[in-house]
Every structure is written in C-alpha cells, then in structure tokens.
C-alpha cells in the first residue's frame, strides 16, 4: 500500500502517582503517537521514548524530530509500504529504534485492520489472556512500600517487580519477602545502577528467592553481566542491553543472561520483538514483556505479544489504572491477575476521540 499521510500527535498524561526509578522520578508521561493514513483506512502507533534521554539515548523530542525529518518522508516516498518492509525502508537511518518501532506498529495496525486480523493472530498468539505483573517504584520508606505492594497483591497481580538502586535494595526486598511470604513471585530491576564492584551487595539478594535481577549493570556491559552471573545465584535478566535479536543471541552465547525482557520499542518494533522471542525460545531462555508506561494503544500490542508461547513469565503488562486515571482507549482491566488479549482487527482498540483531544498538546500532519 502507499501511505496518504502521517499524523504525529504529542500527548501529556498525568500519572496517578509519581514513579521513581534509579534514573529519576516521573509524574507525567509525555508521549508521541503516530497515525498513518492509507487510501482505505488508518493505523495507530505509540513511541515509547521518554521525555529525557535517561533510560535510553532516545527521547521524545528527538523521536519526533527524526520522524518528521527522516523517517516519515522515507515512508511517504515509498511506493509499496507494508509492515514487513518498514525496517528495510528506514534502514538508512541509524538507530532510533523506538521511533522506527512506532511507525512500524502503525503500518502493521493499518495493514491488519484491512485484513481483519488481530495483532495477536499475526504475531502467533498461543492464549487469549495473559498473567500480569506490576512494577513498583522506589518509595520514601519501607512501610510505604509494604502498603503499595499490598494494594497490588490485593488487586490480584501475579508478580511484583521492585525497582532497586544502591541504598534501596536488600532492605526493601527482605521486608517484602517477610511480609508477603515465599510464594510471592518477586523480582527486582536496577536499570543499570550497579557496577561489578557491587558484587558483594548483589550477593546479599541471593537468599530471597528472586525470579530475576534485571539489568544490574550498564547497557553496553554485556561481558560484565556474564562475569556477575558467575558470582550471584539470582538469574540475570537483560533489558537495556538487548536491542535486537542479534544482541539477544550474543548475550545468551556469552552467558550474560538467563532471561530476557522484551520491549518492542527498544528492539525496533513488534516484528523484531517476535524474532527476539524466537531466538530466546530456540535457546530455552524464558522471556517476558516489558512496559514503558504505555497508553491503551501500546498496551494492546504488548498484551498481544505477551500471549506468544515463549512468554512464560508474567510481564509488566499491568492494567491501565496502574498509571492512568483515564486512558485514551477503553481501559485494560485486571481480571483475576490477567488481561484479556484483544481479538479485534489490528490492535483491537482505538483512541476515544474526546479522551485523546483532552491530552493532546500538539499535532502535525505530513504528506507528500
Ligand atoms: O508497567 O509500563 C510499565 C512500567 C514498567 O518499570 C517499568 N518500566 O525499566 O522496565 C523499566 C521501566 C521503565 C520505567 C522504563 C520508566 C522507562 C521508564
């Protein structure tokens, strides 16, 4: 198909509570949405880049810039655009995976709507609902953490992930274990906050039966993770370091991780995310779907991805109300710790016009 035009929408969504990680605190989510228009319909994409380049080198203003000046013009020039061709068309632009992923997602949505096929079916879904975990930010105190975790346990979440950083690691983990018991599926996420000199401190997490520790070391330090793995018994899961199926294969071959967090934006799109899944499955490495505080659009696609057979651990695919009082789509609601995989054409959800208008701060239309 030939694209008629692309709309870029900047939105601003307040969070229900501040979300603190080892790299900063967020109380509002600035997002970039993409709407591709074709002669027969439209498709939606969501760019997961954050406002600031602290989780990854990409950030939302940069993503908008590269889309407007490079990526969208390339797609508009192409005579034949399909989701499977997007990566190839955009390949002359280096990096910018989150921006590329959003465009591919929108084209895939348009294509699948036209074929009356869901994301889940197209990606190879194996179930119609997925178990959900929730990510819990760094708190001001342990009693506050216990309160917050208790709320999520009561809501039915199947697994808890605690954000950790030097100074907020062993004590909160111990407190949560003691309060909620050994059966609670519990994992931690360091977002690159440690170095190999922290081995003794990270060893102190070993007794707590954690499912995994996520990305303890710097993004590029894959070999360091392999070294760390020789000193701790908690399985290492990589997030920031995995930017493609190839980097997943390399990390696995090096012994740097036993588990992989798949975020489609981080690896350049849902099609590459499926390839990461396939590489991991071929090596017997469990995967789970990460989250980037998505709206209902990104959440719909993530839940579809999380229904593939290799996703054997609960993902950060929490309900809409974990972050937002009002979502821009019909909200995703937890049911016995699970979310239903959308089955309608494409994403199976679309923005509710009034809800979208409410949060939109800027729009631009690009055509050839
Ligand atoms: O459920 O959407 C979610 C958030 C899950 O903790 C989460 N994401 O590093 O995985 C992460 C983390 C993150 C938070 C990443 C904020 C980027 C910004």
């Amino acid at each position: 198909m030939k694209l008629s035009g692309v709309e870029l929408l900047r939105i601003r969504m307040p969070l229900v509570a501040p979300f603190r990680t080892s790299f900063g605190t967020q109380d509002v989510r600035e997002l970039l949405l993409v709407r591709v228009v074709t002669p027969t319909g439209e498709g939606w994409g969501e760019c997961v880049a954050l406002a600031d380049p602290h989780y990854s080198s990409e950030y939302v203003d940069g993503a908008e810039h590269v889309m407007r000046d490079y990526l969208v013009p390339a797609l508009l020039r192409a005579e034949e655009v399909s989701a499977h061709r997007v990566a190839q068309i955009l390949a002359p632009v280096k990096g910018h995976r989150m921006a590329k992923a959003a465009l591919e997602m929108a084209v895939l949505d348009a294509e699948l709507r036209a074929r009356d096929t869901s994301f889940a079916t197209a990606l190879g879904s194996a179930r119609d609902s997925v178990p959900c975990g929730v990510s819990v930010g760094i708190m001001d105190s342990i009693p506050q953490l216990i309160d917050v975790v208790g709320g999520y346990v009561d809501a039915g979440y199947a697994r808890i992930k605690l954000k950790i950083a030097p100074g907020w690691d062993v004590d909160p983990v111990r407190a949560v274990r003691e309060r909620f018991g050994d059966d609670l599926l519990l994992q931690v996420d360091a977002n690159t906050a440690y170095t190999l000199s922290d081995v003794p401190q990270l060893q102190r997490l070993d007794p707590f039966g954690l499912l995994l520790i996520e990305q303890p070391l710097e993004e590029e330090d894959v070999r360091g993770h392999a070294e760390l793995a020789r000193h701790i018994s908690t399985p290492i899961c990589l997030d920031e370091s995995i930017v493609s199926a190839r980097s997943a294969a390399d990390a696995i071959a090096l012994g740097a991780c036993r588990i992989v967090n798949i975020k489609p934006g981080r690896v350049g799109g849902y099609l590459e995310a499926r390839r990461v899944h396939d590489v991991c499955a071929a090596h017997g490495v469990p995967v789970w779907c990460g989250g980037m505080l998505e709206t209902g659009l990104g959440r719909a696609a993530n839940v579809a991805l999380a229904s593939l057979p290799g996703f054997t651990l609960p993902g950060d695919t929490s309900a809409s109300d974990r972050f937002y009082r009002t979502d821009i789509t019909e909200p995703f609601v937890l049911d016995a710790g699970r979310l239903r995989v959308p089955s309608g054409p494409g994403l199976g959800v679309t923005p509710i016009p009034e809800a979208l208008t409410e949060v939109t701060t800027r729009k631009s239309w690009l055509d050839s």
Side-chain angles (χ1 to χ4, degrees), residues 19 21 23 26 50 55 133-136 161 163 189 191 214 239-240 261 263 288 290-294 299 316-318 322-323:
F19 186 52
T21 64
F23 58 83
Q26 289 178 266
L50 299 174
Y55 164 83
V134 62
S135 174
V136 181
K161 155 168 145 180
K163 290 288 190 183
D189 182 4
N191 287 115
E214 191 179 346
D239 171 8
E240 285 91 330
N261 164 334
K263 287 180 182 162
W288 55 281
M292 293 288 287
L293 295 80
E294 285 88 351
R299 208 161 288 279
D316 282 344
T317 49
S318 40
R322 156 71 184 88
F323 292 110

Side-chain angles (χ1 to χ4, degrees), residues 73-132:
L75 288 178
L76 290 173
R77 275 193 308 269
E79 282 308 317
E80 187 49 45
V81 176
S82 66
H84 281 89
R85 293 201 59 208
V86 168
Q88 194 190 335
I89 295 168
L90 303 182
V93 174
K94 306 291 183 199
H96 295 284
R97 290 181 170 89
M98 293 175 177
K100 291 175 177 177
L103 289 165
E104 185 195 83
M105 173 180 166
V107 172
L108 185 57
D109 184 34
E111 199 173 299
L112 295 178
R113 280 177 204 272
R115 292 199 337 235
D116 202 15
T117 302
S118 69
F119 255 63
T121 301
L123 293 173
S125 168
R127 47 188 178 260
D128 56 16
S129 72
V130 297
C132 299

Side-chain angles (χ1 to χ4, degrees), residues 7-9 11 31-35 44-46 297 328 356:
E7 188 172 42
L8 303 181
L9 298 92
I11 67 172
L31 276 155
L32 172 60
L33 303 181
V34 178
R35 183 173 70 95
W44 287 90
E46 175 169 342
L297 294 173
I328 57 166
L356 181 59

